[in-house]
Amino acid sequence: MKAYETYLLDRAKVEGNHQLATYRRLGGYKALEKVLKGGLTPAQVVDEVKRSGLRGRGGAGFSTGMKWSFMPDVAKDPRPRYLAINADESEPGTCKDRVLMERDPHGLVEGSLIAAYAIQAKAVYIYVRGEYRLPHDRVAAAIQEARAAQLVGQHILGSDFSCEVFMHKGAGAYICGEETGLMESLEGKRGHPRQKPPFPAQSGLWNSPTTVNNVETVFNAPFIVERGAAWHAAIGTANSKGNFLCGISGHVNRPGVYELPFGVTAREILEDKAGGVWKGRQLKAWFPGGSSCALLKGADIDVVLDHDSLRARGSSLGTAAMIMMDDQTSMARVMEVIARFYEHESCGQCSQCREGTQWLSQIFHRIAHGRGQADDIDTLESLAKGMAPGKTICALSDAAAIPTLSAVRLFKDELIACIREQRDPLAAPAPKYATVGAH
Ligand SMILES: Cc1cc2nc3c(=O)[nH]c(=O)nc-3n(C[C@H](O)[C@H](O)[C@H](O)COP(=O)(O)O)c2cc1C
Ligand code: SF4
């Protein structure tokens, strides 16, 4: 792998960086100072981020500057405006935001404040996955320290900009990571996604203009403000700019969260960072960006990791959470586990999703447990096609359908063999239990 400049995880590696003194010693809050004391207007910050080519890291990869520019004109719309930070991080395989919150919480606070300034939000709500206790506590402590140092609250750094930052804990529901489910939950209601339009920028939290951004997305803002749009736009590939955090997990020697520039290949990450497939085995299949994107075969490992290259392979970058599976993995079992997750997490508002996820789960379960039926593959395919794309209120239905369609396309023979033999040849042998009196 070619040498490259890192910045996202540099401070995270320094002991004590979660505390304000260390963060400041490492240059923290300089970008916020540049914005507020250097006289940058909100429109200039939006423009800088637009020109940097930064794209959202929450899964969809939408242009961040463009999203910020969708907020209505302050002069024409007097409603309060909000920024919601999506720290729900519940997509299977994804664990990058956790590292940022635990080890660089002030980086998130500073990034959130710059984003809030750009969209002229009067408050930031950081919605944290309920199971993330340490990340929650670290960010909450950072907010307190920042408030005491006049970095949060009224007249930040003596400027005209005032902004409060609040934390909110989720309660373990994946659907509350979907941006409109998140807003419902923040408002104290059940996390049921809302029909769009209206989009959050028009009518979000408490019917006011709202921007929802992922943790890693806003974490990038201080670097862009300090070093400039051109610096950021010079890293990466044509339509995917900057460095990104890749969480690689599954059957690898060194799972973890690594910082990489867009444009590296998946093989480079697997071999140079994660130490290759474990136990000397071969790679059979992998998810490039969490369990909601289409599976790829092991042979596709030389694909470049960026939005365009993965789309060209029929998958997507998602949250850049690579889940690697070795050649002894049962795809029926993998899909059984994934389908059960989506069945459990569907909020039930849309019939395609509520019924579809249940059926996918039941069918993969029976295939994996030697009770598959002759027409199961066709049923899986027609069910998944009825669930996506864009047929439901939110994209959870798509998230269940997309991996299903890829599994049926890429591993049909293996699934058919499970049905024909009425057993899963790759299933782990059943554990042997000693029975009473069998000594
Ligand atoms: C079911 C579902 C779950 C999601 N979970 C998350 C999540 O945990 N974190 C996140 O940032 N985005 C999640 N998203 C994407 C958000 O809806 C939204 O696109 C994202 O927060 C926007 O931030 P960005 O533009 O900075 O990427 C989820 C989407 C869906 C459909
Ligand atoms: S697609 Fe599924 S999770 Fe999303 S709103 Fe409809 S039922 Fe709920």
Side-chain angles (χ1 to χ4, degrees):
M1 186 184 294
K2 273 196 282 180
Y4 61 95
E5 180 195 12
T6 58
Y7 50 95
L8 293 171
L9 290 181
D10 289 356
R11 285 189 310 252
K13 292 175 184 153
V14 178
E15 195 61 40
N17 174 63
H18 60 283
Q19 287 160 335
L20 183 58
T22 311
Y23 180 75
R24 278 196 135 157
R25 184 169 55 74
L26 297 172
Y29 288 110
K30 287 261 165 60
L32 183 66
E33 232 174 284
K34 180 173 172 183
V35 168
L36 298 182
K37 293 188 171 168
L40 280 178
T41 64
Q44 282 172 322
V45 178
V46 172
D47 189 52
E48 195 73 8
V49 171
K50 223 188 244 178
R51 285 189 295 108
S52 76
L54 177 67
R55 292 171 68 165
R57 306 287 200 248
F62 194 78
S63 156
T64 306
M66 192 79 86
K67 186 186 258 196
W68 291 358
S69 71
F70 290 158
M71 291 291 270
D73 190 342
V74 187
K76 295 185 188 143
D77 192 329
R79 290 175 295 170
R81 310 144 78 82
Y82 301 107
L83 172 67
I85 299 296
N86 196 338
D88 196 52
E89 193 158 76
S90 307
E91 169 86 7
T94 311
C95 50
K96 64 196 179 59
D97 297 338
R98 171 183 171 178
V99 173
L100 295 178
M101 290 188 281
E102 281 181 8
R103 309 212 184 154
D104 204 348
H106 281 286
L108 172 59
V109 175
E110 184 175 7
S112 302
L113 288 168
I114 291 174
Y117 176 78
I119 61 165
Q120 293 289 279
K122 66 170 217 162
V124 177
Y125 292 88
I126 303 179
Y127 189 102
V128 188
R129 177 186 171 134
E131 295 90 336
Y132 275 10
R133 282 177 68 176
L134 181 60
H136 172 277
D137 293 352
R138 286 262 167 101
V139 178
I143 294 168
Q144 268 191 0
E145 276 190 307
R147 188 175 289 113
Q150 232 205 338
L151 291 157
V152 163
Q154 294 299 305
H155 299 291
I156 295 173
L157 292 169
S159 72
D160 287 341
F161 179 58
S162 299
C163 185
E164 267 309 325
V165 184
F166 302 102
M167 301 285 292
H168 186 98
K169 262 190 191 170
Y174 171 62
I175 197 57
C176 290
E178 194 282 334
E179 59 184 10
T180 60
L182 182 148
M183 293 190 297
E184 286 286 298
S185 175
L186 262 176
E187 290 180 7
K189 301 178 218 150
R190 214 183 254 193
H192 276 180
R194 300 174 183 169
Q195 196 91 46
K196 289 186 266 191
F199 291 94
Q202 274 74 52
S203 179
L205 280 169
W206 302 286
N207 300 322
S208 279
T210 303
T211 294
V212 184
N213 271 139
N214 169 259
V215 168
E216 186 190 341
T217 308
V218 295
F219 192 87
N220 273 279
F223 298 104
I224 293 168
V225 162
E226 258 202 288
R227 304 181 190 192
W231 160 79
H232 188 264
I235 306 169
T237 58
N239 295 312
S240 305
K241 301 296 188 185
N243 283 2
F244 67 101
L245 296 183
C246 167
I248 181 165
S249 63
H251 299 156
V252 297
N253 286 312
R254 286 194 302 272
V257 175
Y258 298 98
E259 174 180 353
L260 295 140
F262 282 114
V264 296
T265 65
R267 183 189 293 281
E268 286 175 303
I269 302 176
L270 171 64
E271 291 178 359
D272 300 352
K273 296 289 179 186
V277 181
W278 70 358
K279 301 178 186 176
R281 295 180 188 164
Q282 298 299 310
L283 183 67
K284 175 174 179 175
W286 56 293
F287 286 105
S291 66
S292 301
C293 58
L295 278 161
L296 290 176
K297 280 203 163 182
D300 274 326
I301 196 65
D302 287 307
V303 65
V304 165
L305 277 205
D306 70 11
H307 292 283
D308 294 343
S309 309
L310 284 163
R311 191 168 317 115
R313 294 283 169 116
S315 190
S316 56
L317 184 72
T319 51
M322 293 167 65
I323 306 172
M324 315 308 274
M325 289 161 268
D326 72 20
D327 52 8
Q328 299 193 17
T329 306
S330 151
M331 296 318 290
R333 182 87 180 99
V334 166
M335 290 311 300
E336 179 200 8
V337 171
I338 286 174
R340 192 170 60 215
F341 170 78
Y342 290 114
E343 175 196 11
H344 187 258
E345 300 300 333
S346 168
C347 84
Q349 289 188 96
C350 319
S351 46
Q352 296 98 318
C353 176
R354 182 185 61 245
E355 304 301 320
T357 52
Q358 282 182 38
W359 277 108
L360 295 183
S361 174
Q362 285 181 34
I363 295 173
F364 276 121
H365 176 77
R366 70 180 177 229
I367 295 176
H369 293 271
R371 296 192 303 278
Q373 298 174 7
D375 54 0
D376 273 353
I377 303 294
D378 289 343
T379 312
L380 283 172
E381 212 168 353
S382 82
L383 266 172
K385 283 182 178 159
M387 293 166 71
K391 294 184 172 152
T392 47
I393 295 175
C394 88
L396 187 141
S397 191
D398 305 50
I402 289 166
T404 301
L405 288 170
S406 65
V408 167
R409 184 163 37 85
L410 301 178
F411 298 100
K412 196 176 223 164
D413 291 348
E414 183 180 328
L415 296 173
I416 288 175
C418 294
I419 296 170
R420 199 180 43 237
E421 293 178 31
Q422 290 289 284
R423 71 184 188 100
D424 180 355
L426 285 168
K432 289 197 176 74
Y433 297 108
T435 49
V436 177
H439 306 292

